[in-house]
Amino acid sequence: MYKRQAQRERYLPRMASGEWLGALSLRQTQSTASPPTITARPAPERPGGWILHGRADLVALGPQAHHFLVIAEHDDTTRTAFVIDRDTPRLHVHSTDQAAMPTCPWATLQLDDCLVLPDAVLGTVRGAATETEPLLATLDWIFTSAPWLGIMRALTHDALAAAGTRTLFGTPLAHGQSTRFALADIATRGELAAGLLHHAAAQFDADGRPSRRDAAAARLFTVTAARAVTQDAARLIGPAAADGDHLVERAHRDALFFASTGGGTDVLHPVIAASLLGSGRP
C-alpha cells in the first residue's frame, strides 16, 4: 500500500500538470495478443530488484516521455508491470518514424539488462495479467479511438463542402441521390461512434471498473466507421490536394494503421462474444 501511495505522489501530480509525460508500447496493451519482447529475472545483488532485458517498439510519445510503463514476462510466463524512469541505466530510447500517424512522436525502447528496484513494480509481482493489462486494453480501445471522432467530423465537413462545389456531368454532386446517401452515412457513423465512446469512457468516472465489452464494442465500431467514412469522403472530395497532404489522404493511411492496433478484430470480437456468452467479465 505504501509503495502505491508513493508512486501516486511521485508521478500523478506531474503527469496531470503536463510536466511529465508517460509512454508505453502499443504492442503491450493487449497482453497475450502479441508475443513477449521483454523479460524479467531476479537481480541477485539487490533483493526484490529485477533485471529487465528486451525491446519494445511502437512506443507512443517515447521521444518526449519522462517514464515508461513496461510489461515484462517471467520464466513461468507470468508478467509484471513496471514504471521505469527515462534516466534508468542501460535503458535506451531511439526515436523512430512511422508512415502512419506522423504527428505522434514514436520511439523504440531497448533494455540491456536494466536493474530496477522494487519500487518500480506497478501493482503486484506477476500480477499484470489481472491488474494492469485489462485496464491497459480498455484505455487503449477507448482513448486512442477518441481522436477519430474529430477526424470523422472534419471529413464530414470537407465532404459537405465538396458536395456543394463539385460537379459531375455539369450537375452538382449534392443533387445526386448517391451523394446524399453517402453524406447521411458519414454523419450517422460519426455520431454513433461518438455515442459508444462517450458511454464507454464515462464508466471510468462511475465506479472505476469500465466494461471491457463496451470498450471493445466502441473500438470495433469506431474502426469500421473510420474506414467507411474515409472511403466515402474520399469519393466525394475527389483527388487529394496538390501538396499531397490532404486530410482525407492522411486519414486513409492512418485508418489502416488504426485498424491494426488494439489487437484488431481478432481480439475485439472474442472479448464481446465472451461477455455475451457469460464466459468473460463484461
Side-chain angles (χ1 to χ4, degrees):
M1 184 64 68
Y2 172 77
K3 181 190 68 175
R4 294 181 181 179
Q5 184 62 31
Q7 288 174 332
R8 292 191 187 102
E9 293 176 355
R10 171 172 167 75
Y11 291 102
L12 290 185
R14 293 175 176 86
M15 293 180 70
S17 69
E19 179 184 355
W20 287 358
L21 291 177
L24 78 162
S25 167
L26 294 187
R27 299 199 192 280
Q28 291 204 317
T29 61
Q30 301 303 321
S31 62
T32 57
S34 298
T37 59
I38 298 176
T39 60
R41 66 180 190 273
E45 69 277 15
R46 294 296 296 267
W50 298 92
I51 301 295
L52 305 185
H53 184 84
R55 181 176 180 272
D57 62 356
L58 282 184
V59 180
L61 300 180
Q64 301 173 1
H66 168 272
H67 53 274
F68 303 90
L69 195 160
V70 171
I71 307 292
E73 186 172 87
H74 302 278
D75 289 342
D76 60 359
T77 73
T78 59
R79 296 178 296 281
T80 299
F82 298 88
V83 178
I84 308 173
D85 288 351
R86 189 189 192 93
D87 59 2
T88 300
R90 297 189 176 184
L91 171 65
H92 309 286
V93 183
H94 305 289
S95 297
T96 58
D97 294 325
Q98 298 293 329
M101 299 179 65
T103 55
C104 176
W106 298 95
T108 295
L109 290 186
Q110 182 68 45
L111 298 89
D112 295 326
D113 289 340
C114 294
L115 171 64
V116 295
L117 301 181
D119 59 4
V121 175
L122 183 64
T124 58
V125 173
R126 305 179 190 275
T130 57
E131 298 173 349
T132 308
E133 291 174 342
L135 180 60
L136 280 183
T138 306
L139 287 167
D140 181 9
W141 291 334
I142 296 174
F143 294 107
T144 62
S145 300
W148 281 93
L149 300 182
I151 295 172
M152 287 190 284
R153 285 169 181 160
L155 289 173
T156 301
H157 177 272
D158 290 353
L160 282 168
T165 57
R166 290 188 66 211
T167 60
L168 183 64
F169 301 119
T171 302
L173 283 181
H175 291 182
Q177 188 177 58
S178 64
T179 296
R180 297 188 176 201
F181 283 3
L183 290 172
D185 286 344
I186 288 173
T188 301
R189 288 188 177 102
E191 291 309 308
L192 287 174
L196 288 169
L197 285 172
H198 289 161
H199 171 72
Q203 295 170 3
F204 281 92
D205 296 325
D207 59 5
R209 288 180 62 82
S211 166
R212 280 172 54 83
R213 179 189 64 197
D214 291 350
R219 175 57 165 248
L220 181 62
F221 186 86
T222 304
V223 166
T224 304
R227 298 188 67 173
V229 167
T230 300
Q231 292 172 0
D232 285 346
R235 180 169 61 82
L236 295 177
I237 294 170
D243 61 9
D245 196 34
H246 196 283
L247 173 62
V248 72
E249 180 183 344
R250 288 182 284 128
H252 184 269
R253 175 193 60 210
D254 292 351
L256 296 175
F257 175 81
F258 173 53
S260 68
T261 61
T265 58
D266 289 342
V267 170
L268 299 172
H269 280 124
V271 168
I272 299 168
S275 178
L276 293 173
L277 294 169
S279 56
R281 187 177 71 81

